[in-house]
């Protein structure tokens, strides 16, 4: 990353009560998983816009970072705006498709930002 500035800064979605669900989720993970996720987020920050296999568009203004972890597949759903990638929701994926509840939660958070 030779001293260049990231294209996007990372920001965490904050609930009305001040919680940051993605930050809380990250803190709950094993150190190795946090390291891998951090590397992938950094790749997105410095390489935006990116496509598959790391980033997939889910909906208007909504993307997912697709993280390969030693014990599964992590997903971080985010939006962008004003030079930021705002991390809306995250989970460990257990099936092929993004679970509808997880997608809906991210969309609700995105609407609250707009």
């Amino acid at each position: 990353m030779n001293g260049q500035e990231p294209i996007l800064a990372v920001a965490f979605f904050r609930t009305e009560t001040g919680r940051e669900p993605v930050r809380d989720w990250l803190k709950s993970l094993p150190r190795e998983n946090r390291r891998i996720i951090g590397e992938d987020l950094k790749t997105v920050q410095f390489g935006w816009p990116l496509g598959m296999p790391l980033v997939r568009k889910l909906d208007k203004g909504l993307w997912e970072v697709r993280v390969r972890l030693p014990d599964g597949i992590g997903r971080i759903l985010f939006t962008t705006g004003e030079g930021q990638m705002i991390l809306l929701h995250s989970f460990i994926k257990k099936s092929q498709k993004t679970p509808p509840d997880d997608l809906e939660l991210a969309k609700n958070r995105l609407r609250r930002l707009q």
Side-chain angles (χ1 to χ4, degrees):
M1 310 289 159
N2 56 23
Q4 74 187 83
E5 288 294 308
I7 295 163
L8 298 173
V10 170
F12 291 91
F13 172 83
R14 186 175 276 138
T15 65
E16 293 78 24
T17 58
R19 280 188 48 249
E20 294 175 325
V22 176
R23 189 188 301 267
D24 295 343
W25 177 78
L26 286 168
K27 287 179 181 172
S28 76
L29 297 174
R31 174 181 285 140
E32 177 62 8
N33 287 4
R34 289 196 311 261
R35 188 192 63 72
I36 293 166
I37 290 167
E39 288 294 314
D40 284 351
L41 287 174
K42 191 177 282 179
T43 300
V44 176
Q45 278 186 272
F46 283 85
W48 185 255
L50 291 172
M52 293 289 276
L54 184 59
V55 176
R56 185 169 73 113
K57 185 167 184 154
L58 296 175
D59 204 33
K60 184 177 186 298
L62 187 64
W63 291 267
E64 67 178 358
V65 181
R66 305 156 55 88
V67 184
R68 271 212 172 114
L69 300 170
D71 52 353
I73 299 169
R75 291 290 188 259
I76 300 173
L77 281 50
F78 71 98
T79 189
T80 60
E82 293 160 15
Q84 294 185 318
M85 67 183 297
I86 302 149
L87 309 184
L88 298 169
H89 181 53
S90 52
F91 57 96
I92 300 290
K93 206 165 151 190
K94 295 179 174 47
S95 64
Q96 269 310 110
K97 275 181 74 67
T98 298
D101 292 351
D102 287 302
L103 190 55
E104 205 43 53
L105 182 58
K107 286 180 179 178
N108 284 337
R109 290 177 178 166
L110 177 58
R111 281 192 287 274
R112 293 220 298 269
L113 286 176
Q114 292 168 337

